[in-house]
């Protein structure tokens, strides 16, 4: 009986992990929704939008984007279950103080800045350089975001 149990446990663990892997995680679902929003607003024929990294904390996200030779970051907020672009900027959206100025509460801003900076450590230097090409910041209104 013990031999059967020892053989069954690894098999059960493998079977359960493949079942769990087939289910999208909440973060995968949020990442897809965020990517869809950004691409629907900013991608144009001949101007593909690359979106990465995506850092989400509660109802806010900071997303890196590249389009052609330009790039930057976008701050999104989840409003009534939908992600909306609030601000487009460059390196400022990596800073807690700038996130607070953009309307993110202090605790979320701290966690989000930490998460963004951690996510960007694994990016290639040329990609990071492109994320930094956006100068200043632009607050997006509902008319600009198509809502």
């Amino acid at each position: 009986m013990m031999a059967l149990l020892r053989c069954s446990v690894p098999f059960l663990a493998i079977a359960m992990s493949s079942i769990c892997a087939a289910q999208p995680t909440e973060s995968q679902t949020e990442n897809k929704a965020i990517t869809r929003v950004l691409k629907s607003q900013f991608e144009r024929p001949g101007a593909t939008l690359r979106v990465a990294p995506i850092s989400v904390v509660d109802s806010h996200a900071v997303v890196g984007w590249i389009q052609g030779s330009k790039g930057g970051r976008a701050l999104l907020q989840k409003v009534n279950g939908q992600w909306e672009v609030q601000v487009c900027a460059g390196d400022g959206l990596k800073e807690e103080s700038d996130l607070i100025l953009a309307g993110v509460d202090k605790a979320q801003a701290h966690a989000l800045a930490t998460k963004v900076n951690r996510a960007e450590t694994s990016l290639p230097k040329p990609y990071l350089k492109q994320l930094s090409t956006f100068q200043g910041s632009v607050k997006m209104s509902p008319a600009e975001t198509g809502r």
Side-chain angles (χ1 to χ4, degrees), residues 40-42 44 84-86 138-147:
S40 71
Q41 288 179 227
F42 301 112
R44 302 290 173 256
E84 296 180 1
V85 179
Q86 303 293 309
V138 177
K139 184 167 176 53
M140 306 297 285
S141 70
E144 292 167 316
T145 61
R147 296 191 184 265

Side-chain angles (χ1 to χ4, degrees), residues 28-67:
Q28 289 171 326
T29 302
E30 295 293 3
N31 289 356
K32 286 180 182 179
I34 289 167
T35 299
R36 259 193 319 273
V37 166
L38 288 169
K39 284 182 172 273
S40 71
Q41 288 179 227
F42 301 112
E43 193 167 71
R44 302 290 173 256
T48 302
L49 189 72
R50 291 174 44 201
V51 177
I54 300 173
S55 302
V56 179
V57 173
D58 298 324
S59 62
H60 287 91
V62 172
V63 182
W65 59 267
I66 290 180
Q67 191 170 40

Side-chain angles (χ1 to χ4, degrees), residues 66-146:
I66 290 180
Q67 191 170 40
S69 64
K70 300 293 182 194
R73 294 171 186 83
L75 172 65
L76 290 87
Q77 183 177 13
K78 198 168 195 179
V79 178
N80 297 322
Q82 301 295 315
W83 287 102
E84 296 180 1
V85 179
Q86 303 293 309
V87 176
C88 286
D91 288 341
L93 289 179
K94 297 180 357 175
E95 305 297 326
E96 178 180 343
S97 58
D98 283 14
L99 292 169
I100 291 169
L101 286 173
V104 181
D105 74 59
K106 186 171 177 53
Q108 275 191 10
H110 177 76
L112 195 51
T114 301
K115 198 167 188 179
V116 169
N117 285 289
R118 189 177 307 129
E120 290 188 4
T121 61
S122 64
L123 296 175
K125 288 192 187 310
Y127 194 94
L128 281 173
K129 188 175 180 179
Q130 270 189 284
L131 292 181
S132 299
T133 60
F134 197 103
Q135 298 299 309
S137 64
V138 177
K139 184 167 176 53
M140 306 297 285
S141 70
E144 292 167 316
T145 61

Side-chain angles (χ1 to χ4, degrees), residues 8-22:
S8 299
V9 170
F11 175 76
L12 184 59
I14 291 169
M16 290 303 292
S17 68
S18 63
I19 290 170
C20 291

